[in-house]
Amino acid sequence: MAQLDTLDLIVLIALLVGTAAYFTKGTYWGVPKDPYAASFASANGAKAGKTRNILEKMDESGKNAVIFYGSQTGTAEDYASRLAKEGSSRFGLKTMVADLEDYDYENLDTFPADKIAMFVLATYGEGEPTDNAVDFYEFIMGEDISFSGGGGIDSSPLSDLNFVAFGLGNNTYEHYQALVRRVNTALLKLGAHRISAAGEGDDGAGTMEEDFLAWKEPMWTELAQKMNLEEREAVYEPVFGITERDDLTPDTKEVYVGEPNKNHLEGTSRGPYNAHNPYIAPIVESREVFTVKGRNCLHMEIDVSGSNLSYTTGDHIAVWPTNAGREVDRFLNILGLSDRRHKVISVKGLDPTARVPFPTPTTYDAAIRYHMEICGPVSRQFVASLAAFAPDEASKDEMTRLGDDKDYFRERVSNQYLNIAQVLERVCEAKWSKVPFSIMMESIQKLQPRYYSISSSSLVQKTKISITAVVEEIRVPGSKPNIVKGVTTNYLLALKQKQHGEPEPDPHGLTYAITGPRNKYDGCHVPVHVRHSNFKLPSDPSKPVIMVGPGSGVAPFRGFIQERAAQAKAGEKVGKTILFYGCRKPTEDFLYKDEWEMYKQALGDSFELITAFSRETAEKVYVQQRLSEQATLVNELLQQKGNFYVCGDASNMAREVNTMLSQIVANQRGLSAEKGEEIVKSMRSSNQYQEDVWS
């Protein structure tokens, strides 16, 4: 056989490469890009993502106002969208909404003086930026900050930047409004000019919405003067165009019926799994941990093996909920969409910077069931905007009054915990068929994942995540009583019922599409992702820990104690481990009662469980009282550099525990009350005192 010379080899290799390329086109290369291939967030950010230069983007799209948002739960994003709509409709501003993580900020020093930047910033956790605001925050707060023109802090590089700012926070947290205050200070220090006072909305006081409304009116007045804007009658201008598709049905393979992105649509879901791309995880165990009728607390085990999802003890798991069928039906019915619920629609932004909040084409039912927060609180501004589409004049007048009169609105809507469909029903039972679906899309937040403290140890069960969740319910008395059900916890309860053999789960009269879009969640699956937390055990297990976790606040401490028990069994020296736990009665809601005995056997005298039962006797006893009774022990462990942890209700329990600890430190060490408070604040700063709390 003749040997191949060099030229023959080159030709042969070229032919082989060409053949391989031909047959793999469309699979490994030359694949048409799909905006939903990774996530619907990046899908609709694809337009904004063409450039990370915000000024270039504003120039391309003819904008003179940008509203940046830093949002964890969607509220700040919602306020940013509302500011953009109002600026456009009332003042003719050319507005765009921008996710802070989509852009770079080195060129803010070239921001033109005839444009305006607005910042809507939520403070998350212990004074931290929201996930999407981290890069911006670290840049703007940097000590060695440098801009494109070479200017630093001393040269006032942002002297042409005009801005306004509104913060979202909760006064029950130690670092209330930390983000907006720090960013505001940093921008002013860099030479920027703030128009109007920075606003602050307080979720802890329940005044977030009214704080926002009270802030924006004087802000618009001052901004109009600064930019020579003329106010005009606000007329609804849709942000999204909606087209009903007669050429498609819900069974058409390209139609999304609840899938979050294209990979899920095609059945090829793959990681990384995150806040834009959930993992459809099997529930391998579910059980009730309360022992009293009428109340539910769920323990669930979620299997994440094979997903590449990882967690460490103290992290959070996010559950992607589905709206209850009853509320989906109510919403469709009042808008006159019941007969068209499965009609396929395509949605597109009518502005190049508009973000469609879910993948399309889809159906009305799928959009409402899987993507819209239809059971969320309602704003006066939203109600007022719907007056123009009322079925009759009487309804229009009532909607206008609700929008204008905050006391009347509080009495009729807020105090009743009504969702938007319930508001429309109570104003007029006739169909509100004139309401454009686009205004509902624009005004209702995206359905957000709910976060739960993981109640297992990653050392003990690396690929199985435990959830402990009390099923939520609010009963509102009155002539028209209303019972508000927790969106996600009742969804989880339905899944638990299904797993335990109920063919048609119906928790509290609610039904759920628990098999998911196209039955992709069948077999008891739930969409999840993991969010990492700074709420951690000390790296040295010999350090003492004190944990305060009443009710479901005990969840992360089950994981902590599970981990320390495993370390003790492995022969490691484990320090004193104290848990203060509270509930109503030991016979009703004592979570994991039997497990604590098991951990006691592993940890021996180093573990101590101190209980407080608030309904066992005539005298109500709470964890902060037990803390006071153990003042000597608590102080000794703190002086041994022990860590102090609190998990649970921020508005009452966590605040009172903080106060009690300050008193313990002062009294035990013979110090003034002020010095005790100062020491506890120092503990927080050094992470010796950590909180995982909610309001």
Side-chain angles (χ1 to χ4, degrees), residues 495-538:
L495 285 165
K496 179 250 180 186
Q497 290 177 350
K498 178 69 181 296
Q499 190 168 54
H500 286 257
E502 295 187 32
E504 299 294 334
D506 186 23
H508 303 132
L510 305 176
T511 57
Y512 292 85
I514 58 177
T515 60
R518 293 185 170 91
N519 293 321
K520 290 174 181 174
Y521 304 172
D522 201 10
C524 282
H525 287 69
V526 64
V528 300
H529 72 269
V530 170
R531 182 176 72 188
H532 298 294
S533 164
N534 294 321
F535 194 74
K536 300 298 177 191
L537 280 167

Tab-separated table of all heavy atoms in Angstrom, residues 495-538:
chain	number	residue	atom	x	y	z
A	495	LEU	N	-48.610	19.443	47.251
A	495	LEU	CA	-47.633	18.436	46.825
A	495	LEU	C	-47.496	17.332	47.872
A	495	LEU	O	-47.384	16.145	47.538
A	495	LEU	CB	-46.284	19.104	46.569
A	495	LEU	CG	-46.178	19.924	45.284
A	495	LEU	CD1	-44.949	20.823	45.316
A	495	LEU	CD2	-46.123	19.013	44.064
A	496	LYS	N	-47.506	17.730	49.130
A	496	LYS	CA	-47.430	16.738	50.213
A	496	LYS	C	-48.655	15.825	50.182
A	496	LYS	O	-48.548	14.601	50.328
A	496	LYS	CB	-47.302	17.458	51.548
A	496	LYS	CG	-47.228	16.534	52.765
A	496	LYS	CD	-48.506	16.646	53.567
A	496	LYS	CE	-48.471	15.740	54.787
A	496	LYS	NZ	-49.776	15.724	55.501
A	497	GLN	N	-49.828	16.422	49.976
A	497	GLN	CA	-51.048	15.615	49.909
A	497	GLN	C	-50.983	14.629	48.743
A	497	GLN	O	-51.369	13.465	48.868
A	497	GLN	CB	-52.267	16.528	49.775
A	497	GLN	CG	-52.578	17.338	51.028
A	497	GLN	CD	-53.752	18.274	50.839
A	497	GLN	OE1	-54.248	18.467	49.729
A	497	GLN	NE2	-54.214	18.885	51.924
A	498	LYS	N	-50.482	15.104	47.603
A	498	LYS	CA	-50.363	14.230	46.423
A	498	LYS	C	-49.408	13.072	46.724
A	498	LYS	O	-49.685	11.915	46.389
A	498	LYS	CB	-49.861	15.045	45.232
A	498	LYS	CG	-49.637	14.236	43.949
A	498	LYS	CD	-50.939	13.742	43.354
A	498	LYS	CE	-50.725	12.905	42.093
A	498	LYS	NZ	-50.129	13.650	40.991
A	499	GLN	N	-48.307	13.380	47.363
A	499	GLN	CA	-47.327	12.334	47.660
A	499	GLN	C	-47.880	11.293	48.626
A	499	GLN	O	-47.477	10.134	48.607
A	499	GLN	CB	-46.046	12.952	48.231
A	499	GLN	CG	-44.895	11.976	48.337
A	499	GLN	CD	-43.583	12.671	48.618
A	499	GLN	OE1	-43.482	13.426	49.576
A	499	GLN	NE2	-42.575	12.438	47.794
A	500	HIS	N	-48.848	11.711	49.436
A	500	HIS	CA	-49.432	10.790	50.412
A	500	HIS	C	-50.722	10.158	49.903
A	500	HIS	O	-51.529	9.677	50.703
A	500	HIS	CB	-49.647	11.511	51.742
A	500	HIS	CG	-48.374	11.754	52.491
A	500	HIS	ND1	-47.985	11.004	53.574
A	500	HIS	CD2	-47.360	12.640	52.279
A	500	HIS	CE1	-46.813	11.430	54.007
A	500	HIS	NE2	-46.409	12.430	53.237
A	501	GLY	N	-50.925	10.195	48.576
A	501	GLY	CA	-51.975	9.386	47.984
A	501	GLY	C	-53.285	10.052	47.682
A	501	GLY	O	-54.219	9.398	47.207
A	502	GLU	N	-53.393	11.370	47.929
A	502	GLU	CA	-54.647	12.040	47.596
A	502	GLU	C	-54.664	12.322	46.095
A	502	GLU	O	-53.812	13.070	45.593
A	502	GLU	CB	-54.792	13.333	48.394
A	502	GLU	CG	-54.909	13.096	49.896
A	502	GLU	CD	-55.219	14.362	50.677
A	502	GLU	OE1	-55.911	15.241	50.124
A	502	GLU	OE2	-54.767	14.466	51.832
A	503	PRO	N	-55.636	11.776	45.356
A	503	PRO	CA	-55.626	11.929	43.892
A	503	PRO	C	-55.879	13.359	43.430
A	503	PRO	O	-55.365	13.789	42.408
A	503	PRO	CB	-56.742	10.983	43.422
A	503	PRO	CG	-57.625	10.815	44.621
A	503	PRO	CD	-56.735	10.918	45.814
A	504	GLU	N	-56.689	14.107	44.192
A	504	GLU	CA	-57.003	15.491	43.837
A	504	GLU	C	-56.715	16.391	45.033
A	504	GLU	O	-57.617	16.781	45.772
A	504	GLU	CB	-58.475	15.618	43.411
A	504	GLU	CG	-58.855	14.805	42.193
A	504	GLU	CD	-58.163	15.302	40.923
A	504	GLU	OE1	-57.814	16.502	40.872
A	504	GLU	OE2	-57.962	14.487	40.006
A	505	PRO	N	-55.472	16.742	45.260
A	505	PRO	CA	-55.137	17.581	46.419
A	505	PRO	C	-55.908	18.898	46.392
A	505	PRO	O	-56.008	19.550	45.347
A	505	PRO	CB	-53.629	17.829	46.251
A	505	PRO	CG	-53.156	16.707	45.405
A	505	PRO	CD	-54.281	16.391	44.473
A	506	ASP	N	-56.445	19.266	47.541
A	506	ASP	CA	-57.293	20.453	47.613
A	506	ASP	C	-57.081	21.150	48.956
A	506	ASP	O	-58.004	21.260	49.757
A	506	ASP	CB	-58.760	20.020	47.445
A	506	ASP	CG	-59.711	21.192	47.362
A	506	ASP	OD1	-59.265	22.289	46.996
A	506	ASP	OD2	-60.896	21.005	47.688
A	507	PRO	N	-55.853	21.609	49.246
A	507	PRO	CA	-55.596	22.204	50.560
A	507	PRO	C	-56.393	23.491	50.757
A	507	PRO	O	-56.290	24.418	49.959
A	507	PRO	CB	-54.087	22.478	50.531
A	507	PRO	CG	-53.752	22.609	49.086
A	507	PRO	CD	-54.689	21.678	48.372
A	508	HIS	N	-57.212	23.516	51.815
A	508	HIS	CA	-57.983	24.713	52.153
A	508	HIS	C	-58.815	25.225	50.978
A	508	HIS	O	-58.960	26.428	50.771
A	508	HIS	CB	-57.047	25.822	52.651
A	508	HIS	CG	-56.220	25.406	53.816
A	508	HIS	ND1	-54.861	25.610	53.886
A	508	HIS	CD2	-56.557	24.755	54.963
A	508	HIS	CE1	-54.398	25.116	55.028
A	508	HIS	NE2	-55.407	24.593	55.698
A	509	GLY	N	-59.329	24.292	50.168
A	509	GLY	CA	-60.184	24.696	49.053
A	509	GLY	C	-59.431	25.216	47.851
A	509	GLY	O	-60.025	25.773	46.929
A	510	LEU	N	-58.125	25.025	47.844
A	510	LEU	CA	-57.308	25.495	46.718
A	510	LEU	C	-56.857	24.304	45.881
A	510	LEU	O	-56.588	23.231	46.412
A	510	LEU	CB	-56.077	26.252	47.229
A	510	LEU	CG	-56.327	27.424	48.164
A	510	LEU	CD1	-55.002	27.985	48.654
A	510	LEU	CD2	-57.118	28.527	47.460
A	511	THR	N	-56.767	24.513	44.593
A	511	THR	CA	-56.216	23.472	43.718
A	511	THR	C	-55.023	24.045	42.973
A	511	THR	O	-54.935	25.249	42.756
A	511	THR	CB	-57.265	22.982	42.701
A	511	THR	OG1	-57.738	24.116	41.942
A	511	THR	CG2	-58.440	22.320	43.396
A	512	TYR	N	-54.114	23.187	42.596
A	512	TYR	CA	-52.891	23.621	41.925
A	512	TYR	C	-52.596	22.709	40.743
A	512	TYR	O	-52.918	21.519	40.772
A	512	TYR	CB	-51.698	23.579	42.893
A	512	TYR	CG	-51.782	24.592	43.997
A	512	TYR	CD1	-52.489	24.307	45.163
A	512	TYR	CD2	-51.188	25.835	43.869
A	512	TYR	CE1	-52.592	25.244	46.176
A	512	TYR	CE2	-51.282	26.784	44.878
A	512	TYR	CZ	-51.993	26.475	46.032
A	512	TYR	OH	-52.090	27.409	47.030
A	513	ALA	N	-51.963	23.281	39.733
A	513	ALA	CA	-51.496	22.474	38.599
A	513	ALA	C	-50.177	21.835	39.021
A	513	ALA	O	-49.095	22.202	38.543
A	513	ALA	CB	-51.318	23.352	37.369
A	514	ILE	N	-50.251	20.874	39.945
A	514	ILE	CA	-49.029	20.374	40.572
A	514	ILE	C	-48.202	19.472	39.663
A	514	ILE	O	-47.049	19.196	39.971
A	514	ILE	CB	-49.333	19.662	41.905
A	514	ILE	CG1	-50.293	18.507	41.698
A	514	ILE	CG2	-49.866	20.633	42.930
A	514	ILE	CD1	-50.555	17.725	42.972
A	515	THR	N	-48.780	19.026	38.542
A	515	THR	CA	-47.955	18.250	37.608
A	515	THR	C	-47.183	19.160	36.663
A	515	THR	O	-46.392	18.682	35.856
A	515	THR	CB	-48.808	17.269	36.785
A	515	THR	OG1	-49.782	18.000	36.047
A	515	THR	CG2	-49.504	16.273	37.699
A	516	GLY	N	-47.423	20.480	36.771
A	516	GLY	CA	-46.625	21.434	36.022
A	516	GLY	C	-46.969	21.505	34.552
A	516	GLY	O	-47.848	20.793	34.054
A	517	PRO	N	-46.286	22.376	33.823
A	517	PRO	CA	-46.521	22.492	32.386
A	517	PRO	C	-46.188	21.186	31.664
A	517	PRO	O	-45.121	20.613	31.868
A	517	PRO	CB	-45.583	23.629	31.957
A	517	PRO	CG	-44.559	23.726	33.037
A	517	PRO	CD	-45.236	23.291	34.292
A	518	ARG	N	-47.145	20.726	30.861
A	518	ARG	CA	-46.980	19.476	30.101
A	518	ARG	C	-46.585	18.297	31.004
A	518	ARG	O	-45.815	17.424	30.614
A	518	ARG	CB	-45.961	19.660	28.973
A	518	ARG	CG	-46.435	20.632	27.880
A	518	ARG	CD	-45.445	20.690	26.718
A	518	ARG	NE	-45.997	21.413	25.588
A	518	ARG	CZ	-45.855	22.725	25.391
A	518	ARG	NH1	-45.156	23.446	26.252
A	518	ARG	NH2	-46.393	23.305	24.333
A	519	ASN	N	-47.087	18.321	32.235
A	519	ASN	CA	-46.841	17.238	33.210
A	519	ASN	C	-45.360	17.043	33.532
A	519	ASN	O	-44.941	15.956	33.944
A	519	ASN	CB	-47.435	15.912	32.719
A	519	ASN	CG	-48.948	15.945	32.684
A	519	ASN	OD1	-49.581	16.505	33.575
A	519	ASN	ND2	-49.532	15.370	31.648
A	520	LYS	N	-44.555	18.092	33.387
A	520	LYS	CA	-43.116	17.961	33.605
A	520	LYS	C	-42.741	17.899	35.083
A	520	LYS	O	-41.595	17.602	35.411
A	520	LYS	CB	-42.381	19.108	32.913
A	520	LYS	CG	-42.421	18.974	31.386
A	520	LYS	CD	-41.816	20.174	30.684
A	520	LYS	CE	-41.897	19.990	29.168
A	520	LYS	NZ	-41.460	21.184	28.427
A	521	TYR	N	-43.711	18.210	35.987
A	521	TYR	CA	-43.431	18.117	37.415
A	521	TYR	C	-44.096	16.879	38.023
A	521	TYR	O	-44.158	16.744	39.243
A	521	TYR	CB	-43.948	19.353	38.165
A	521	TYR	CG	-43.434	20.692	37.688
A	521	TYR	CD1	-43.969	21.878	38.194
A	521	TYR	CD2	-42.410	20.795	36.742
A	521	TYR	CE1	-43.514	23.117	37.776
A	521	TYR	CE2	-41.953	22.024	36.311
A	521	TYR	CZ	-42.513	23.188	36.824
A	521	TYR	OH	-42.066	24.415	36.401
A	522	ASP	N	-44.622	15.988	37.171
A	522	ASP	CA	-45.343	14.829	37.679
A	522	ASP	C	-44.409	13.957	38.522
A	522	ASP	O	-43.189	13.945	38.327
A	522	ASP	CB	-45.926	14.012	36.522
A	522	ASP	CG	-47.077	13.125	36.969
A	522	ASP	OD1	-47.519	13.297	38.115
A	522	ASP	OD2	-47.516	12.268	36.185
A	523	GLY	N	-45.026	13.220	39.459
A	523	GLY	CA	-44.212	12.416	40.357
A	523	GLY	C	-43.699	13.219	41.526
A	523	GLY	O	-42.701	12.869	42.157
A	524	CYS	N	-44.383	14.325	41.834
A	524	CYS	CA	-44.024	15.201	42.962
A	524	CYS	C	-42.645	15.839	42.780
A	524	CYS	O	-41.672	15.480	43.458
A	524	CYS	CB	-44.106	14.460	44.292
A	524	CYS	SG	-45.792	14.273	44.865
A	525	HIS	N	-42.576	16.765	41.837
A	525	HIS	CA	-41.384	17.574	41.615
A	525	HIS	C	-41.710	19.039	41.893
A	525	HIS	O	-42.861	19.458	41.774
A	525	HIS	CB	-40.880	17.436	40.174
A	525	HIS	CG	-40.229	16.127	39.873
A	525	HIS	ND1	-40.930	14.944	39.821
A	525	HIS	CD2	-38.922	15.807	39.611
A	525	HIS	CE1	-40.102	13.959	39.528
A	525	HIS	NE2	-38.879	14.453	39.404
A	526	VAL	N	-40.694	19.802	42.221
A	526	VAL	CA	-40.881	21.223	42.491
A	526	VAL	C	-39.678	21.993	41.937
A	526	VAL	O	-38.536	21.536	42.048
A	526	VAL	CB	-41.053	21.468	44.012
A	526	VAL	CG1	-39.799	21.100	44.783
A	526	VAL	CG2	-41.454	22.906	44.295
A	527	PRO	N	-39.913	23.161	41.294
A	527	PRO	CA	-38.787	23.958	40.774
A	527	PRO	C	-38.071	24.683	41.921
A	527	PRO	O	-38.720	25.344	42.734
A	527	PRO	CB	-39.466	24.967	39.828
A	527	PRO	CG	-40.903	24.563	39.737
A	527	PRO	CD	-41.213	23.750	40.937
A	528	VAL	N	-36.748	24.565	41.960
A	528	VAL	CA	-35.973	25.172	43.050
A	528	VAL	C	-34.638	25.711	42.539
A	528	VAL	O	-34.167	25.338	41.470
A	528	VAL	CB	-35.684	24.153	44.182
A	528	VAL	CG1	-36.970	23.619	44.787
A	528	VAL	CG2	-34.796	23.011	43.695
A	529	HIS	N	-34.032	26.577	43.332
A	529	HIS	CA	-32.607	26.879	43.205
A	529	HIS	C	-32.083	27.214	44.602
A	529	HIS	O	-32.870	27.352	45.549
A	529	HIS	CB	-32.335	28.013	42.201
A	529	HIS	CG	-32.741	29.389	42.657
A	529	HIS	ND1	-33.990	29.919	42.410
A	529	HIS	CD2	-32.061	30.348	43.340
A	529	HIS	CE1	-34.070	31.138	42.916
A	529	HIS	NE2	-32.912	31.424	43.494
A	530	VAL	N	-30.794	27.334	44.738
A	530	VAL	CA	-30.168	27.594	46.039
A	530	VAL	C	-29.581	28.995	46.050
A	530	VAL	O	-28.981	29.439	45.066
A	530	VAL	CB	-29.054	26.560	46.339
A	530	VAL	CG1	-28.243	26.963	47.570
A	530	VAL	CG2	-29.667	25.176	46.538
A	531	ARG	N	-29.800	29.699	47.157
A	531	ARG	CA	-29.162	31.009	47.352
A	531	ARG	C	-28.218	30.903	48.551
A	531	ARG	O	-28.622	30.489	49.628
A	531	ARG	CB	-30.222	32.089	47.616
A	531	ARG	CG	-29.608	33.489	47.772
A	531	ARG	CD	-30.686	34.546	47.945
A	531	ARG	NE	-31.323	34.455	49.256
A	531	ARG	CZ	-32.388	35.158	49.616
A	531	ARG	NH1	-32.962	35.965	48.745
A	531	ARG	NH2	-32.912	35.041	50.826
A	532	HIS	N	-26.991	31.273	48.326
A	532	HIS	CA	-25.998	31.159	49.397
A	532	HIS	C	-26.164	32.294	50.401
A	532	HIS	O	-26.579	33.398	50.059
A	532	HIS	CB	-24.596	31.117	48.808
A	532	HIS	CG	-24.391	29.921	47.923
A	532	HIS	ND1	-24.408	28.629	48.411
A	532	HIS	CD2	-24.219	29.807	46.580
A	532	HIS	CE1	-24.241	27.779	47.422
A	532	HIS	NE2	-24.128	28.467	46.294
A	533	SER	N	-25.834	32.002	51.642
A	533	SER	CA	-26.064	32.912	52.758
A	533	SER	C	-24.790	33.093	53.560
A	533	SER	O	-23.885	32.261	53.512
A	533	SER	CB	-27.176	32.337	53.645
A	533	SER	OG	-27.206	32.952	54.915
A	534	ASN	N	-24.732	34.189	54.318
A	534	ASN	CA	-23.609	34.420	55.226
A	534	ASN	C	-23.909	33.930	56.638
A	534	ASN	O	-23.118	34.147	57.559
A	534	ASN	CB	-23.264	35.912	55.266
A	534	ASN	CG	-22.742	36.408	53.939
A	534	ASN	OD1	-21.995	35.706	53.265
A	534	ASN	ND2	-23.129	37.611	53.548
A	535	PHE	N	-25.042	33.276	56.805
A	535	PHE	CA	-25.482	32.779	58.104
A	535	PHE	C	-24.820	31.426	58.340
A	535	PHE	O	-25.323	30.390	57.914
A	535	PHE	CB	-27.010	32.658	58.076
A	535	PHE	CG	-27.661	32.472	59.423
A	535	PHE	CD1	-27.759	33.525	60.320
A	535	PHE	CD2	-28.217	31.249	59.771
A	535	PHE	CE1	-28.394	33.358	61.545
A	535	PHE	CE2	-28.854	31.072	60.989
A	535	PHE	CZ	-28.945	32.134	61.878
A	536	LYS	N	-23.666	31.434	58.993
A	536	LYS	CA	-22.825	30.229	59.031
A	536	LYS	C	-22.322	29.907	60.441
A	536	LYS	O	-22.082	30.805	61.247
A	536	LYS	CB	-21.607	30.408	58.109
A	536	LYS	CG	-21.958	30.641	56.638
A	536	LYS	CD	-22.696	29.470	56.037
A	536	LYS	CE	-23.099	29.728	54.600
A	536	LYS	NZ	-24.035	28.712	54.101
A	537	LEU	N	-22.127	28.611	60.658
A	537	LEU	CA	-21.447	28.158	61.862
A	537	LEU	C	-19.988	28.618	61.840
A	537	LEU	O	-19.423	28.830	60.764
A	537	LEU	CB	-21.479	26.628	61.936
A	537	LEU	CG	-22.764	25.965	62.442
A	537	LEU	CD1	-22.731	24.471	62.132
A	537	LEU	CD2	-22.940	26.201	63.941
A	538	PRO	N	-19.352	28.740	63.011
A	538	PRO	CA	-17.917	29.050	63.010
A	538	PRO	C	-17.136	27.907	62.370
A	538	PRO	O	-17.517	26.738	62.474
A	538	PRO	CB	-17.592	29.210	64.499
A	538	PRO	CG	-18.679	28.496	65.222
A	538	PRO	CD	-19.897	28.612	64.374
